[in-house]
Amino acid sequence: MKTLSPYLLLVAVAIALDQWIKHLVETTLAFQEKVDLVPFLALFRTYNTGIAFSMLSSFGDTGLIVVSLVVAAFVLYLATRTTPGQVIARVGFALIVGGALGNLIDRAVYGHVIDYILFHTPVWSFAVFNLADVFISVGAALVVLEEFVAWRREPKPSND
């Protein structure tokens, strides 16, 4: 358990930071009014009733909560199969779980996920997302990176 403590702490910090920022967004940012920060980045509070780009919104709150719990459990299962030397993957899994639980809290409490980050140009905009989504994406990239590095380090079979 001691070897997992830093990762559990990272999960808790990710959840706390995500929820704190969402609280600030909910209490200070007008709903669906763009606040430009730089020419390509704005704050824009909106609600997502689905998962990742509003997919599966037809599942309803309970269905999405169940899906989220199953995915988080599967990610935790994968994390338990890592070795202590797979630090990058463990950090990645912790970020994925922290982000997933941050969005799960929103869905359970509010019936939707609070999104507020908008990348855009004058003629195009990306889906609005939040810090929990960033944690999930960065975490997934870290897990893939760990796997790629491990694959590259594997000894190559000789053709003798």
Side-chain angles (χ1 to χ4, degrees):
M1 182 68 173
K2 193 173 188 177
T3 61
L4 295 179
S5 296
Y7 306 107
L8 295 174
L9 179 62
L10 181 56
V11 169
V13 167
I15 293 169
L17 187 58
D18 172 66
Q19 291 298 300
W20 177 64
I21 291 173
K22 287 176 179 171
H23 170 75
L24 291 176
V25 165
E26 279 291 282
T27 58
T28 62
L29 194 60
F31 188 69
Q32 294 190 341
E33 287 186 22
K34 188 169 72 162
V35 177
D36 285 315
L37 301 175
V38 292
F40 58 88
L41 178 66
L43 297 176
F44 184 82
R45 178 170 63 116
T46 192
Y47 301 141
N48 184 348
T49 57
I51 292 178
F53 312 111
S54 296
M55 291 188 300
L56 308 180
S57 59
S58 63
F59 278 35
D61 294 342
T62 304
L64 291 175
I65 288 170
V66 170
V67 168
S68 298
L69 287 171
V70 168
V71 169
F74 180 67
V75 170
L76 284 172
Y77 166 75
L78 292 175
T80 63
R81 300 182 50 81
T82 60
T83 65
Q86 292 177 292
V87 174
I88 294 172
R90 286 185 169 191
V91 167
F93 285 127
L95 289 173
I96 293 169
V97 170
L101 293 178
N103 281 340
L104 179 64
I105 290 168
D106 283 12
R107 191 167 314 288
V109 172
Y110 305 114
H112 56 258
V113 173
I114 301 162
D115 285 334
Y116 52 87
I117 302 169
L118 172 64
F119 279 109
H120 64 90
T121 69
V123 295
W124 170 87
S125 66
F126 188 71
V128 183
F129 58 100
N130 61 43
L131 185 60
D133 299 331
V134 173
F135 289 149
I136 293 166
S137 299
V138 169
L142 290 174
V143 171
V144 170
L145 175 65
E146 177 83 48
E147 288 299 314
F148 179 74
V149 168
W151 172 73
R152 295 287 295 163
R153 288 186 180 154
E154 283 181 6
K156 302 293 183 248
S158 62
N159 292 334
D160 294 339

